[in-house]
Amino acid sequence: MIEGLARSQPIDGMELHVVGDGHLRSQDEQTAQSTGSAWRCTFTARSPITAFRGFIAAADLCLAPYQPSRFYDGKITFSTLKIPEYMACERPVASVPHGHILQLIDHQVTGFLVNNNADAWTALFRSMPSRQRACRNGRTAAQRVASLSWNATAARYLELGYRAASAALPVVLLLCHHYAIDVPLLRNRQHGVRDPVEHQAGGKPREHESA
């Protein structure tokens, strides 16, 4: 992404702000220096969550440059949280066309789908939308995620839990048995503490049902 910014000769006034910390930060800073784009890049260290509201509010476009090759089988299988958060703040998002992201970002409508390589980022930065268009994209993005909430997510998990329990109740009970009894027993043994049930039985190990 930083290399793409350097190659694109972007419009005057365009800046890249990288917020947060991580093991790749020093590498990204070196890339900015070596490509001559350091003057366009600002690296902000780890910040309190309350500061992110200001960062997002100041942005015209939010970036989520995931690298699929770093995920198992080259596929992003988790549901990213930062993208819908950006969208809920009426900000269009540029990210990779993979997995759940395809359900959130509609190319050139709620954001931009960009393969995470220098050529793709160069093309995006050379054709950056106007601020007015970015605002329209952002409003559409917010509408796209308006139905998403933690309450809705919790209700969905509950629904799936009920469905799984009704389809395989014995398996669920067996898992509950192992989590409720066997795991504390293992922890006690690791710390040299006798299990209370074993103690009552005169030190004899308990017998557990097998699957």
Side-chain angles (χ1 to χ4, degrees):
M1 180 181 63
I2 295 175
E3 183 180 345
L5 179 68
R7 289 165 43 179
S8 63
Q9 298 181 345
I11 60 176
D12 291 338
M14 182 185 295
E15 300 175 355
L16 173 66
H17 288 254
V18 182
V19 183
D21 211 342
H23 68 284
L24 293 178
R25 176 179 171 177
S26 59
Q27 177 181 322
D28 290 339
E29 290 177 321
Q30 292 174 5
T31 300
Q33 290 287 346
S34 64
T35 58
S37 59
W39 65 281
R40 288 189 181 275
C41 301
T42 299
F43 292 86
T44 303
R46 182 177 298 178
S47 304
I49 191 66
T50 52
F52 278 79
R53 293 175 293 186
F55 292 128
I56 296 174
D60 294 299
L61 176 67
C62 293
L63 311 177
Y66 294 106
Q67 185 56 267
S69 63
R70 295 197 176 112
F71 292 81
Y72 175 74
D73 204 24
K75 299 177 181 178
I76 300 176
T77 56
F78 72 99
S79 179
T80 172
L81 181 60
K82 70 171 66 175
I83 292 179
E85 286 181 336
Y86 292 152
M87 296 172 69
C89 295
E90 295 192 357
R91 291 299 179 268
V93 183
S95 190
V96 295
H98 278 259
H100 182 65
I101 296 171
L102 291 169
Q103 300 177 31
L104 295 170
I105 299 179
D106 189 356
H107 187 58
Q108 297 187 350
V109 177
T110 61
F112 302 90
L113 294 170
V114 185
N115 288 314
N116 197 0
N117 58 64
D119 289 340
W121 288 112
T122 298
L124 174 66
F125 293 140
R126 283 178 176 170
S127 60
M128 278 291 292
S130 65
R131 180 163 289 171
Q132 291 75 17
R133 181 185 170 189
C135 287
R136 291 196 300 270
N137 293 152
R139 288 192 292 269
T140 305
Q143 295 171 4
R144 178 66 57 86
V145 298
S147 62
L148 301 180
S149 69
W150 284 117
N151 286 338
T153 300
R156 180 60 174 161
Y157 273 116
L158 189 61
E159 175 191 345
L160 293 175
Y162 281 137
R163 187 181 302 173
S166 63
L169 185 59
V171 175
V172 174
L173 288 177
L174 182 61
L175 288 174
C176 290
H177 165 78
H178 281 287
Y179 275 103
I181 299 177
D182 292 351
V183 172
L185 172 61
L186 177 60
R187 187 180 302 116
N188 287 343
R189 285 175 173 166
Q190 289 175 336
H191 292 280
V193 180
R194 297 181 68 185
D195 181 76
V197 177
E198 290 185 12
H199 180 69
Q200 293 173 6
K204 296 180 180 180
R206 294 177 299 173
E207 295 182 0
H208 301 294
E209 301 89 340
S210 60

